Amino acid sequence: SPLHSWHESRCDNWCQLGGTSLPRHFASPAEERAAISELALCDLSGLPLFEFKGPGAADWLSARGLPVPGEIYQGASTPDNGWVTRTGNDEFLLRGPIDSSHVEMGADFHINGYQQDLLITSRQDAGLLLAGRRVRELMGQTCGLDYQALMPRETVFTRVAAVSCGLIKDQLGDNPVCWLWVDASQALYLWQELVQIIEDLAGRVVGAGCFYTEVD
């Protein structure tokens, strides 16, 4: 993770998520589970994020039982709580959870290669997750958008704490969440800014084990 150095001095309970070493928990699991219903921040940079470009992209997704959103920037959930977003006429982003078959896509296509009217790229962005009922309050301090007015799973490219990133408003179980993905070179700055605001709002940083119980 681009945030490994920050985590290393604060965590001694680690796991593997998609081949990436991440904190499993910073505190007790019970304390962290309580935090994600209020306000929490988690590094999930091990989750796969793929970009599909080309006239064959929609057919490729559809043939594998994945949703194909009709409108640009519209998103849809996959059967296992990942999501697909259309980012152009023939362009899509796919993010899948670590226990999904989508993580094993390497057996099904050539990443970073062009084949059959389709270019597939594995993106190396940092993936952050904000969770809890107070996410709207935090976004009100860091983002110029009207967060409450955003449509669920609609992709928005904006600035959060002065950093350009992608944003999706979503729901995991009973908890409202906001996915952020950001260039690795800007990830530590954005993380530190979010941590400071979250702590001011009595939230906390939590580990990947809060959301993915099957991590190694």
Side-chain angles (χ1 to χ4, degrees), residues 33-52:
R33 282 193 296 269
I36 66 175
S37 66
E38 293 294 319
L39 183 61
L41 172 65
C42 186
D43 178 11
L44 293 176
S45 296
L47 291 176
L49 182 64
F50 296 105
E51 189 169 43
F52 299 79

PDB file of all heavy atoms in Angstrom, residues 33-52:
ATOM      1  N   ARG A  33     -15.668  -2.207  14.832  1.00  0.00           N
ATOM      2  CA  ARG A  33     -17.013  -2.415  14.278  1.00  0.00           C
ATOM      3  C   ARG A  33     -17.970  -1.328  14.742  1.00  0.00           C
ATOM      4  O   ARG A  33     -18.852  -0.895  13.993  1.00  0.00           O
ATOM      5  CB  ARG A  33     -17.542  -3.804  14.673  1.00  0.00           C
ATOM      6  CG  ARG A  33     -16.943  -4.937  13.837  1.00  0.00           C
ATOM      7  CD  ARG A  33     -17.724  -6.229  14.054  1.00  0.00           C
ATOM      8  NE  ARG A  33     -17.621  -6.700  15.420  1.00  0.00           N
ATOM      9  CZ  ARG A  33     -16.688  -7.533  15.855  1.00  0.00           C
ATOM     10  NH1 ARG A  33     -15.760  -7.984  15.026  1.00  0.00           N
ATOM     11  NH2 ARG A  33     -16.675  -7.933  17.104  1.00  0.00           N
ATOM     12  N   ALA A  34     -17.819  -0.884  15.987  1.00  0.00           N
ATOM     13  CA  ALA A  34     -18.648   0.216  16.481  1.00  0.00           C
ATOM     14  C   ALA A  34     -18.335   1.504  15.717  1.00  0.00           C
ATOM     15  O   ALA A  34     -19.236   2.297  15.405  1.00  0.00           O
ATOM     16  CB  ALA A  34     -18.421   0.419  17.976  1.00  0.00           C
ATOM     17  N   ALA A  35     -17.069   1.707  15.379  1.00  0.00           N
ATOM     18  CA  ALA A  35     -16.663   2.941  14.698  1.00  0.00           C
ATOM     19  C   ALA A  35     -17.233   3.025  13.290  1.00  0.00           C
ATOM     20  O   ALA A  35     -17.599   4.116  12.826  1.00  0.00           O
ATOM     21  CB  ALA A  35     -15.141   3.036  14.652  1.00  0.00           C
ATOM     22  N   ILE A  36     -17.337   1.894  12.580  1.00  0.00           N
ATOM     23  CA  ILE A  36     -17.757   1.978  11.184  1.00  0.00           C
ATOM     24  C   ILE A  36     -19.237   2.332  11.034  1.00  0.00           C
ATOM     25  O   ILE A  36     -19.678   2.671   9.942  1.00  0.00           O
ATOM     26  CB  ILE A  36     -17.431   0.684  10.405  1.00  0.00           C
ATOM     27  CG1 ILE A  36     -18.238  -0.494  10.935  1.00  0.00           C
ATOM     28  CG2 ILE A  36     -15.946   0.409  10.426  1.00  0.00           C
ATOM     29  CD1 ILE A  36     -18.038  -1.754  10.114  1.00  0.00           C
ATOM     30  N   SER A  37     -19.979   2.266  12.105  1.00  0.00           N
ATOM     31  CA  SER A  37     -21.368   2.725  12.019  1.00  0.00           C
ATOM     32  C   SER A  37     -21.468   4.237  12.232  1.00  0.00           C
ATOM     33  O   SER A  37     -22.479   4.847  11.879  1.00  0.00           O
ATOM     34  CB  SER A  37     -22.234   2.001  13.055  1.00  0.00           C
ATOM     35  OG  SER A  37     -21.846   2.356  14.364  1.00  0.00           O
ATOM     36  N   GLU A  38     -20.425   4.844  12.788  1.00  0.00           N
ATOM     37  CA  GLU A  38     -20.409   6.287  13.041  1.00  0.00           C
ATOM     38  C   GLU A  38     -19.513   7.009  12.034  1.00  0.00           C
ATOM     39  O   GLU A  38     -19.981   7.743  11.180  1.00  0.00           O
ATOM     40  CB  GLU A  38     -19.950   6.551  14.473  1.00  0.00           C
ATOM     41  CG  GLU A  38     -20.940   6.071  15.528  1.00  0.00           C
ATOM     42  CD  GLU A  38     -22.240   6.856  15.487  1.00  0.00           C
ATOM     43  OE1 GLU A  38     -22.182   8.097  15.315  1.00  0.00           O
ATOM     44  OE2 GLU A  38     -23.308   6.232  15.623  1.00  0.00           O
ATOM     45  N   LEU A  39     -18.199   6.796  12.146  1.00  0.00           N
ATOM     46  CA  LEU A  39     -17.265   7.421  11.214  1.00  0.00           C
ATOM     47  C   LEU A  39     -15.924   6.701  11.303  1.00  0.00           C
ATOM     48  O   LEU A  39     -15.305   6.656  12.369  1.00  0.00           O
ATOM     49  CB  LEU A  39     -17.071   8.906  11.531  1.00  0.00           C
ATOM     50  CG  LEU A  39     -16.160   9.671  10.576  1.00  0.00           C
ATOM     51  CD1 LEU A  39     -16.718   9.646   9.149  1.00  0.00           C
ATOM     52  CD2 LEU A  39     -15.984  11.123  11.029  1.00  0.00           C
ATOM     53  N   ALA A  40     -15.496   6.139  10.183  1.00  0.00           N
ATOM     54  CA  ALA A  40     -14.236   5.400  10.162  1.00  0.00           C
ATOM     55  C   ALA A  40     -13.584   5.553   8.792  1.00  0.00           C
ATOM     56  O   ALA A  40     -14.237   5.818   7.788  1.00  0.00           O
ATOM     57  CB  ALA A  40     -14.482   3.926  10.468  1.00  0.00           C
ATOM     58  N   LEU A  41     -12.266   5.351   8.776  1.00  0.00           N
ATOM     59  CA  LEU A  41     -11.467   5.414   7.561  1.00  0.00           C
ATOM     60  C   LEU A  41     -10.636   4.150   7.469  1.00  0.00           C
ATOM     61  O   LEU A  41     -10.027   3.736   8.459  1.00  0.00           O
ATOM     62  CB  LEU A  41     -10.554   6.642   7.594  1.00  0.00           C
ATOM     63  CG  LEU A  41      -9.506   6.769   6.480  1.00  0.00           C
ATOM     64  CD1 LEU A  41     -10.176   6.956   5.121  1.00  0.00           C
ATOM     65  CD2 LEU A  41      -8.558   7.941   6.778  1.00  0.00           C
ATOM     66  N   CYS A  42     -10.613   3.528   6.286  1.00  0.00           N
ATOM     67  CA  CYS A  42      -9.896   2.272   6.102  1.00  0.00           C
ATOM     68  C   CYS A  42      -9.114   2.300   4.795  1.00  0.00           C
ATOM     69  O   CYS A  42      -9.602   2.803   3.777  1.00  0.00           O
ATOM     70  CB  CYS A  42     -10.902   1.109   6.094  1.00  0.00           C
ATOM     71  SG  CYS A  42     -10.153  -0.532   6.036  1.00  0.00           S
ATOM     72  N   ASP A  43      -7.912   1.745   4.827  1.00  0.00           N
ATOM     73  CA  ASP A  43      -7.105   1.573   3.622  1.00  0.00           C
ATOM     74  C   ASP A  43      -7.416   0.197   3.034  1.00  0.00           C
ATOM     75  O   ASP A  43      -7.141  -0.828   3.663  1.00  0.00           O
ATOM     76  CB  ASP A  43      -5.620   1.679   3.986  1.00  0.00           C
ATOM     77  CG  ASP A  43      -4.698   1.460   2.793  1.00  0.00           C
ATOM     78  OD1 ASP A  43      -5.194   1.436   1.640  1.00  0.00           O
ATOM     79  OD2 ASP A  43      -3.479   1.304   3.016  1.00  0.00           O
ATOM     80  N   LEU A  44      -7.964   0.167   1.823  1.00  0.00           N
ATOM     81  CA  LEU A  44      -8.272  -1.090   1.137  1.00  0.00           C
ATOM     82  C   LEU A  44      -7.572  -1.122  -0.224  1.00  0.00           C
ATOM     83  O   LEU A  44      -8.143  -1.537  -1.231  1.00  0.00           O
ATOM     84  CB  LEU A  44      -9.786  -1.250   0.966  1.00  0.00           C
ATOM     85  CG  LEU A  44     -10.579  -1.438   2.269  1.00  0.00           C
ATOM     86  CD1 LEU A  44     -12.073  -1.487   1.986  1.00  0.00           C
ATOM     87  CD2 LEU A  44     -10.146  -2.716   2.996  1.00  0.00           C
ATOM     88  N   SER A  45      -6.324  -0.691  -0.228  1.00  0.00           N
ATOM     89  CA  SER A  45      -5.584  -0.591  -1.487  1.00  0.00           C
ATOM     90  C   SER A  45      -5.289  -1.951  -2.116  1.00  0.00           C
ATOM     91  O   SER A  45      -4.831  -1.998  -3.264  1.00  0.00           O
ATOM     92  CB  SER A  45      -4.273   0.176  -1.268  1.00  0.00           C
ATOM     93  OG  SER A  45      -4.531   1.514  -0.888  1.00  0.00           O
ATOM     94  N   GLY A  46      -5.554  -3.049  -1.404  1.00  0.00           N
ATOM     95  CA  GLY A  46      -5.347  -4.360  -1.996  1.00  0.00           C
ATOM     96  C   GLY A  46      -6.465  -4.809  -2.913  1.00  0.00           C
ATOM     97  O   GLY A  46      -6.318  -5.813  -3.619  1.00  0.00           O
ATOM     98  N   LEU A  47      -7.587  -4.110  -2.913  1.00  0.00           N
ATOM     99  CA  LEU A  47      -8.689  -4.508  -3.781  1.00  0.00           C
ATOM    100  C   LEU A  47      -8.352  -4.228  -5.248  1.00  0.00           C
ATOM    101  O   LEU A  47      -7.786  -3.191  -5.564  1.00  0.00           O
ATOM    102  CB  LEU A  47      -9.967  -3.745  -3.409  1.00  0.00           C
ATOM    103  CG  LEU A  47     -10.580  -4.107  -2.059  1.00  0.00           C
ATOM    104  CD1 LEU A  47     -11.775  -3.210  -1.775  1.00  0.00           C
ATOM    105  CD2 LEU A  47     -11.001  -5.566  -2.022  1.00  0.00           C
ATOM    106  N   PRO A  48      -8.712  -5.139  -6.143  1.00  0.00           N
ATOM    107  CA  PRO A  48      -8.371  -4.945  -7.549  1.00  0.00           C
ATOM    108  C   PRO A  48      -9.222  -3.867  -8.199  1.00  0.00           C
ATOM    109  O   PRO A  48     -10.416  -3.753  -7.929  1.00  0.00           O
ATOM    110  CB  PRO A  48      -8.668  -6.319  -8.170  1.00  0.00           C
ATOM    111  CG  PRO A  48      -9.729  -6.890  -7.289  1.00  0.00           C
ATOM    112  CD  PRO A  48      -9.434  -6.392  -5.900  1.00  0.00           C
ATOM    113  N   LEU A  49      -8.591  -3.079  -9.044  1.00  0.00           N
ATOM    114  CA  LEU A  49      -9.290  -2.053  -9.801  1.00  0.00           C
ATOM    115  C   LEU A  49      -8.807  -2.147 -11.251  1.00  0.00           C
ATOM    116  O   LEU A  49      -7.633  -1.931 -11.534  1.00  0.00           O
ATOM    117  CB  LEU A  49      -9.003  -0.660  -9.236  1.00  0.00           C
ATOM    118  CG  LEU A  49      -9.722   0.516  -9.904  1.00  0.00           C
ATOM    119  CD1 LEU A  49     -11.233   0.393  -9.718  1.00  0.00           C
ATOM    120  CD2 LEU A  49      -9.236   1.849  -9.316  1.00  0.00           C
ATOM    121  N   PHE A  50      -9.715  -2.524 -12.143  1.00  0.00           N
ATOM    122  CA  PHE A  50      -9.381  -2.722 -13.545  1.00  0.00           C
ATOM    123  C   PHE A  50     -10.080  -1.678 -14.416  1.00  0.00           C
ATOM    124  O   PHE A  50     -11.219  -1.297 -14.141  1.00  0.00           O
ATOM    125  CB  PHE A  50      -9.812  -4.113 -14.023  1.00  0.00           C
ATOM    126  CG  PHE A  50      -9.108  -5.240 -13.336  1.00  0.00           C
ATOM    127  CD1 PHE A  50      -9.768  -5.993 -12.376  1.00  0.00           C
ATOM    128  CD2 PHE A  50      -7.795  -5.554 -13.641  1.00  0.00           C
ATOM    129  CE1 PHE A  50      -9.134  -7.046 -11.734  1.00  0.00           C
ATOM    130  CE2 PHE A  50      -7.156  -6.597 -12.999  1.00  0.00           C
ATOM    131  CZ  PHE A  50      -7.815  -7.353 -12.053  1.00  0.00           C
ATOM    132  N   GLU A  51      -9.388  -1.274 -15.470  1.00  0.00           N
ATOM    133  CA  GLU A  51      -9.954  -0.354 -16.454  1.00  0.00           C
ATOM    134  C   GLU A  51     -10.071  -1.080 -17.794  1.00  0.00           C
ATOM    135  O   GLU A  51      -9.122  -1.736 -18.232  1.00  0.00           O
ATOM    136  CB  GLU A  51      -9.064   0.879 -16.588  1.00  0.00           C
ATOM    137  CG  GLU A  51      -9.667   1.992 -17.411  1.00  0.00           C
ATOM    138  CD  GLU A  51      -8.863   3.273 -17.287  1.00  0.00           C
ATOM    139  OE1 GLU A  51      -7.609   3.198 -17.330  1.00  0.00           O
ATOM    140  OE2 GLU A  51      -9.465   4.343 -17.146  1.00  0.00           O
ATOM    141  N   PHE A  52     -11.235  -0.966 -18.411  1.00  0.00           N
ATOM    142  CA  PHE A  52     -11.515  -1.611 -19.688  1.00  0.00           C
ATOM    143  C   PHE A  52     -11.786  -0.532 -20.730  1.00  0.00           C
ATOM    144  O   PHE A  52     -12.634   0.329 -20.516  1.00  0.00           O
ATOM    145  CB  PHE A  52     -12.748  -2.522 -19.582  1.00  0.00           C
ATOM    146  CG  PHE A  52     -12.604  -3.634 -18.587  1.00  0.00           C
ATOM    147  CD1 PHE A  52     -12.759  -3.399 -17.232  1.00  0.00           C
ATOM    148  CD2 PHE A  52     -12.308  -4.921 -19.007  1.00  0.00           C
ATOM    149  CE1 PHE A  52     -12.627  -4.419 -16.310  1.00  0.00           C
ATOM    150  CE2 PHE A  52     -12.175  -5.953 -18.097  1.00  0.00           C
ATOM    151  CZ  PHE A  52     -12.332  -5.703 -16.743  1.00  0.00           C
TER     152      PHE A  52
END
